[in-house]
Amino acid sequence: MRIGVPKEIKNHEYRVGLVPSSVAELVHHGHEVLIERGAGLGAGLADEEYQSAGAIIVDGPDAIFERGEMIVKVKEPLAEERKRLRPGQILFTYLHLAPDLEQTRDLMESGATCIAYETVTSPSGALSLLTPMSEVAGRLAPQVGAHCLEKAQGGRGVLLGGVPGVPGADVVILGGGVSGTHAATIALGMGAHVTVIDRSAEVLRRLSSQFGSSVRTVFSTRDAIAQAVKQADLLIGAVLVPGAAAPKLITSEMVKTMRPGSVIVDIAIDQGGCSETSRPTTHSNPTYIVDDVVHYCVTNMPGAVARTSTFALNNVTLPFTLALANKGWRQALQDDRFLRDGLNVHAGKVVCRPVAEAHGLSYTPAEEVLA
């Protein structure tokens, strides 16, 4: 199979779909890999490294999309990229379609087979291709939150870890999954007072076992969230419903109760955000203020640490990329029900139920497509 890797064009997105070692593995299996010139530079990967691994360097995205039978990316294709997709082509990348009707319609019209990293599952029920980026975003959240709390950034002027005689910041994390757990780990390490809210008693038990009394765990109810939000210096939204739009757990009325200069970091913004006041931002212009509360809602947070993120992502995507290339998408999905969960759009049909429900579109089961 001929595999194309374009340079990412989303604002300040420096990750790349394949690293040289992944290219070498694909070439070893008899596949041809096309890399757009300069695609890996943002992650510190030179064209020469790709050539040494067996890749063919091509100029511009047109050649990648025209010649590639499978396109491997990191972020969802932007409008100009979606125009280049064609029927029968495989797109393997993050898509996050539930909050994005325009992209969903464009992918349907393209006729391509679109497989989303974020809905590929695992035997344990985890989202195996989303996990490493959730880990990165979770670990970044207290770091960017601490920066936003600085007075010059519009924050309260509170040091996350405090100093002897002056208490650290109160950090509230909504969601105790992968992102939330990693956010708690870093926030604790920075010396903050941490509260994690989740609706799963099992998750709260796991957090209590992992962190002991260092983390306060709270069962999620509307009232519990309202009370915690009011006290938070830094509120981290780490809520996830696989494949679906994030629930709006933080109302605009709750935001109004927060102290001036408090900060919301909404990791869930890729899926629409978990606050009614959240809207997507970029690394170029990452924050805005609503009711004196600083909002950080960058939709590609892991892109800020592109090298770490790229290698972490390739560690989990490569086996699936190989399966798709070796077997073709249809056989690969028939053989692996977990990869099959990643199929979102095929030949104009929506094959992911949460996406179809989010947009009021017809849903076609993957089994029907494969049959």
Side-chain angles (χ1 to χ4, degrees):
M1 183 179 287
R2 186 179 294 117
I3 300 157
V5 179
K7 184 176 182 179
E8 297 291 329
I9 59 173
K10 190 179 179 78
N11 181 274
H12 284 283
E13 181 52 72
Y14 303 109
R15 290 173 288 179
V16 61
L18 293 176
V19 297
S21 59
S22 297
V23 170
E25 195 72 17
L26 287 160
V27 171
H28 173 74
H29 282 78
H31 306 293
E32 184 178 295
V33 182
L34 309 176
I35 304 287
E36 183 179 348
R37 190 177 302 279
L41 291 178
L45 300 168
D47 292 338
E48 291 75 18
E49 294 180 68
Y50 283 105
Q51 288 175 313
S52 296
I56 300 170
I57 304 298
V58 300
D59 291 311
D62 288 339
I64 294 290
F65 283 88
E66 286 172 7
R67 297 168 60 185
E69 297 169 87
M70 174 165 65
I71 304 298
V72 177
K73 282 175 45 61
V74 177
K75 287 304 292 177
E76 70 281 353
L78 300 187
E80 63 188 88
E81 296 174 301
R82 300 196 292 267
K83 292 176 182 177
R84 296 186 174 102
L85 293 169
R86 64 177 186 271
Q89 197 168 44
I90 303 167
L91 174 64
F92 193 34
T93 187
Y94 287 116
L95 293 176
H96 300 292
L97 294 179
D100 193 342
L101 178 58
E102 182 181 356
Q103 184 194 176
T104 303
R105 284 178 170 162
D106 285 352
L107 294 183
M108 292 171 69
E109 291 175 6
S110 75
T113 297
C114 307
I115 303 170
Y117 292 160
E118 73 272 9
T119 58
V120 173
T121 56
S122 72
S124 67
L127 301 174
S128 53
L129 305 193
L130 185 62
T131 294
M133 297 304 95
S134 296
E135 292 169 342
V136 171
R139 286 173 173 262
L140 275 174
Q143 180 176 312
V144 299
H147 179 61
C148 292
L149 276 170
E150 295 173 11
K151 193 66 179 177
Q153 308 305 317
R156 295 190 67 212
V158 172
L159 181 64
L160 203 68
V163 293
V166 182
D170 286 314
V171 176
V172 173
I173 302 169
L174 291 184
V178 175
S179 290
T181 300
H182 281 264
T185 300
I186 300 304
L188 280 174
M190 295 175 77
H193 304 289
V194 179
T195 299
V196 181
I197 303 176
D198 199 281
R199 65 179 181 177
S200 167
E202 196 59 40
V203 166
L204 297 180
R205 290 190 189 97
R206 173 179 58 78
L207 292 167
S208 182
S209 176
Q210 180 173 346
F211 296 113
S213 59
S214 298
V215 168
R216 177 173 173 251
T217 57
V218 176
F219 185 79
S220 180
T221 64
R222 183 180 175 85
D223 182 64
I225 293 172
Q227 293 304 315
V229 167
K230 187 186 303 183
Q231 299 302 316
D233 294 303
L234 169 59
L235 177 62
I236 297 173
V239 179
L240 175 68
V241 179
K248 303 293 186 185
L249 300 182
I250 308 165
T251 67
S252 55
E253 291 304 312
M254 292 180 190
V255 173
K256 290 177 182 177
T257 69
M258 298 178 74
R259 289 171 290 206
S262 298
V263 174
I264 294 175
V265 175
D266 197 342
I267 298 175
I269 194 63
D270 269 342
Q271 293 295 118
C274 61
S275 172
E276 290 180 347
T277 53
S278 291
R279 56 177 172 79
T281 62
T282 66
H283 286 293
S284 293
N285 190 19
T287 63
Y288 60 92
I289 296 176
V290 175
D291 293 322
D292 295 323
V293 175
V294 180
H295 290 60
Y296 179 100
C297 303
V298 174
T299 55
N300 58 329
M301 286 178 65
V305 286
R307 189 172 179 88
T308 297
S309 298
T310 293
F311 279 92
L313 183 59
N314 267 243
N315 288 344
V316 294
T317 57
L318 179 58
F320 296 102
T321 305
L322 272 170
L324 290 166
N326 289 342
K327 301 176 180 181
W329 73 269
R330 189 179 298 274
Q331 190 62 51
L333 268 58
Q334 286 175 339
D335 291 348
D336 188 341
R337 65 185 178 90
F338 305 110
L339 178 57
R340 187 161 66 240
D341 289 337
L343 185 62
N344 275 218
V345 175
H346 167 70
K349 299 176 180 178
V350 177
V351 195
C352 178
R353 186 186 295 275
V355 172
E357 291 177 348
H359 301 308
L361 298 169
S362 297
Y363 164 66
T364 303
E367 293 73 17
E368 184 177 320
V369 167
L370 293 173

